[in-house]
Amino acid sequence: MTSEAAATQVGPTVAAAPVARPRRRVITPYVLLAPTVLFLAVFFAWPMLQALVLAFQDASGAWSLAPIQRMTGDLNFSDSMRITLVFAAVVIPLQTVLALGMALLLMSGLRGAGVFLYLWAIPLGISDLASGVVWLSVFTDRGYINSILAGLGVSDTGFAFLSYENPISLFVCAAVAELWRATSIVMVILLSGLQVIPRDYGEAAEVFGATSWQRFRHVTLPLLRPSLQVALILRTILAFQVFAVVIALAGRQLPVLAEEAYHFYYDIRSPNVAAAYALLIMLLSLVFTAVYLRLLRVRDAELARR
Amino acid sequence: MATASTAISHRRSPPKRWNLYVAAVAISLFILIPIYLIAVAAFTPRAVLNGFPKPLLPVAVSTDTMQAFLSSRGVGQSVVNSLLVGIITLVLSTVLGAPAGYALARFAFRGRDSFQLLILMTRAFPIAILAVPLTVTFINWNLYDTLWAVALVHTALALPTTVLITASVFVAVPVDLEEAALTLGCTPIGAFTRVAMPLALPGLAAASIFTFVLSWNEVFASVILTVQNRTLPAQVLTQLDNSPLAYKFAGGFALIVPALIFIFFIRRYLFNMWGRIVR
């Protein structure tokens, strides 16, 4: 196949017109790609296989189901699985709605939208660990919320937000910290999606008498689907890895999958069980990515543009 | 950002506009107040910090807490380690990823689609988790508990995004300029280094900063792959159980500061990074 034929096959991606170079230089792109491909083979594909191997070996290196059994038989296993899934199920929809609202606000022509955008993008640079510590200062027993409550005379000693006796409030505090930190990334993805929707579409709908809700529901939202897909996949994968926020706020009072992997690796010194947890997180991520790809189906060509 | 503020529908009805400002200010406060509080906590003397109720205003400012944190065992070294890992990561991911990004932007070739799909797939994957199986490899290579091990995983984490952003940067550099240089007698490499490279530099710098922040913030792989040579997040995380609140707050603030600075510098490029990539 000539490079021109390849170009037609790429479809819309080609809009940026990679120039058709003389054929003798056709080797150049492969030379340029080789380092990345090699690196990903060693540090992405290989450890994936390694995880599979480790999870099905015992400590001596013999094939065994012991790590899987140890994982599923662990006291914290079903809790950590359930909490990780519920956490994602609670945080991600809230984040998506909030981020969509923020993106629409920025597009609505507020004065100072640039300033708001910068402020709202700040959490992009903040790590999950830092976010956990920040909200620890707010929610801890003698922290800022309780200081305010005491100052208002509502309660002298405050409320034990982060006590294991209040699992719901523990969960809510971790969810607030995640909302605070990771909504920005969804907002930026959705905002860049909104910006490429041609304005004529909305204006045409307006001419035909569509209300602003109808324009949003029938024009904006369908056109935003590729961005929503990207944002949801990214956020879900990160949510299954949720780790440091929870450790900083709750320790093992609120077990999650990545924390169990860390615990088995670091405290129990069992890389095999840790690898079993890693494998589980990978499988969950794959399954959910597949679900999103199916539910919010976008043509391949559209996907490749993102 | 210009694009955000210019792409506006001017036809919305004005009466409800103040609602929008109330919402925007409320969101801004939700984001800013916790940052303000951790800053106050990090710069309040311990006696005041341990009191209850805590003052919400910086009534007594002192750098004691911060100094105590920075001089406590392991912290200084972990800051240096974090800087080193970040720099190695950004050099590695730029050296590996920028050529790939350039290839995506400039060449039509067989397998281009598959490569793009591979890159997107890796981005939709919990790469940090791969630190667990990688420990075996690193022990075999005598890299376990070294900064290189951490930097290699961080590079795997950053590489897909580096490829995509450098592709978008080079797409924006007009190919005509490079071709003009070629017709005027430049070698292809000369045309690249003397024409395309300088034009792409700001975007590449933004990609590097992004990579650095990613590495600076990453904690799971760092804590799995090191025992003695902790990065700052790994150090803070492993000391959480047995350190006073003041130490945690100072650590939290120290972790946030570079992020605040860097996001300011790369704000113009956020869309290149997360928005549509290669057009």
Side-chain angles (χ1 to χ4, degrees), chain A residues 16-180:
Chain A
V19 260
R21 299 269 173 161
R23 246 212 266 175
R24 65 191 158 80
R25 260 187 252 141
V26 88
I27 190 154
T28 316
Y30 300 106
V31 174
L32 295 173
L33 293 187
T36 295
V37 173
L38 277 177
F39 189 90
L40 290 177
V42 177
F43 293 100
F44 177 75
W46 174 249
M48 254 158 73
L49 288 175
Q50 190 90 21
L52 202 61
V53 170
L54 277 175
F56 291 96
Q57 282 182 344
D58 61 19
S60 66
W63 296 105
S64 154
L65 284 176
I68 306 286
Q69 284 162 348
R70 178 84 194 272
M71 172 177 81
T72 51
D74 189 70
L75 207 60
N76 270 337
F77 174 72
S78 55
D79 274 353
S80 63
M81 182 86 173
R82 192 170 41 96
I83 291 171
T84 306
L85 289 175
V86 175
F87 195 71
V90 169
V91 170
I92 294 170
L94 285 175
Q95 248 167 3
T96 310
V97 171
L98 182 60
L100 190 55
M102 288 158 79
L104 289 171
L105 260 179
L106 290 176
M107 293 291 284
S108 70
L110 293 185
R111 265 169 205 279
V115 176
F116 286 124
L117 176 63
Y118 169 59
L119 293 179
W120 298 355
I122 287 176
L124 279 178
I126 295 177
S127 68
D128 46 352
L129 176 62
S131 161
V133 174
V134 166
W135 287 93
L136 182 70
S137 79
V138 173
F139 288 125
T140 190
D141 288 352
R142 290 150 73 92
Y144 286 108
I145 291 224
N146 280 332
S147 293
I148 294 172
L149 291 179
L152 293 173
V154 179
S155 153
D156 285 344
T157 53
F159 183 76
F161 292 102
L162 301 177
S163 158
Y164 67 95
E165 288 169 2
N166 303 318
I168 304 248
S169 93
L170 206 53
F171 184 92
V172 170
C173 292
V176 169
E178 271 296 89
L179 271 179
W180 178 72

Side-chain angles (χ1 to χ4, degrees), chain A residues 16 30 111 125 142 147 266, chain B residues 21 50 54 110 230 259 279:
Chain A
Y30 300 106
R111 265 169 205 279
R142 290 150 73 92
S147 293
Y266 194 73
Chain B
Y21 283 97
N50 290 335
K54 284 191 213 313
R110 196 175 185 175
R230 298 286 193 203
R279 294 229 299 126

